[in-house]
Structures are given as C-alpha cells and as structure tokens.
Amino acid sequence: MHLMPGRRVDARRRRADGVLEVVLDDGTALAANVIVVLLGATPRVDLAARAGR
C-alpha cells in the first residue's frame, strides 16, 4: 500500500499487459490491483462561529 497525501490522480489506464496503472500529478506512474482515492474536507469554522453568535 502506498499513501500519497497531497497527490492528485491525473489519469488511470490499463497497460497492454493488463495491469491497472495510475499516473499522479507529479508524473509518477503506479501499478495497482486496487485503487482507493480519498478526499479530505476542510471544516468551515467561520460558518459555525457565526451561527453560534
């Protein structure tokens, strides 16, 4: 397993040999059996602060 925080998947493709591959925003290509992409969220604390006033 590779954790790549801050990286973005630019492309996914299946190579001629049938292996799944993803290409990251820095050009890194990774072969994979399974791809899991997670998205983070930044809380809107300003909105919560205004609502509590």
Side-chain angles (χ1 to χ4, degrees), residues 2-27:
H2 294 279
L3 299 178
M4 312 290 287
R7 297 276 51 104
R8 186 182 74 234
V9 175
D10 275 351
R12 62 177 173 72
R13 59 185 174 221
R14 190 157 304 271
R15 298 186 322 204
D17 61 4
V19 174
L20 183 62
E21 185 173 70
V22 294
V23 180
L24 304 179
D25 57 346
D26 67 353

Side-chain angles (χ1 to χ4, degrees), residues 20-52:
L20 183 62
E21 185 173 70
V22 294
V23 180
L24 304 179
D25 57 346
D26 67 353
T28 302
L30 300 169
N33 292 325
V34 175
I35 300 168
V36 178
V37 178
L38 303 171
L39 302 174
T42 303
R44 292 278 313 268
V45 294
D46 60 318
L47 181 64
R50 285 196 313 262

